[in-house]
Amino acid sequence: MNKRRLFIVEIVNTIHAPKAIGPYSQGMIWNELIFSSGQIPIDPITGKMVECDIEGQAEQVMKNVEAVLREAGTTLSHVVKTTCFLQNMEDFATFNKVYEKYFIGKPARSCVAVKALPKNALCEVEVIAVREK
């Protein structure tokens, strides 16, 4: 009998995004789909939270998401779904201005307010993207 492995998963790991702060990976690739872990505004060089307003934190989050995707072999233009978490929904308009600069392809999106985020971040973003063959 000829057996084929149908479930091959690759782990995404890059020095250009923050190291995982728990028992998880920065992202996973299954077939041509990339699933990123939520990215918070940690500077990957210093390993420290970017201490600034929602705009500055959102910028760092987008750079971190972009770095994970680049390592996985794709770009922000190939994102099909985002999930965004905000510590305060009053920050939505400012967050959205940063978001729309990066996600010009307008992927499907969920955006929710949460009571707290890791390291008291103001925002977090996770994505699902496709990788070109």
Side-chain angles (χ1 to χ4, degrees), residues 10-30:
E10 299 172 59
I11 295 173
V12 179
N13 187 27
T14 178
I15 62 169
H16 302 290
K19 292 180 182 179
I21 56 175
Y24 59 90
S25 62
Q26 293 169 325
M28 300 291 286
I29 303 169
W30 177 65

Side-chain angles (χ1 to χ4, degrees), residues 46-67:
T46 66
K48 297 190 184 298
M49 176 75 73
V50 174
E51 298 293 339
C52 53
D53 60 7
I54 186 64
E55 185 175 6
Q57 286 201 5
E59 286 283 346
Q60 185 63 55
V61 165
M62 299 310 166
K63 291 175 185 175
N64 293 345
V65 169
E66 195 169 34

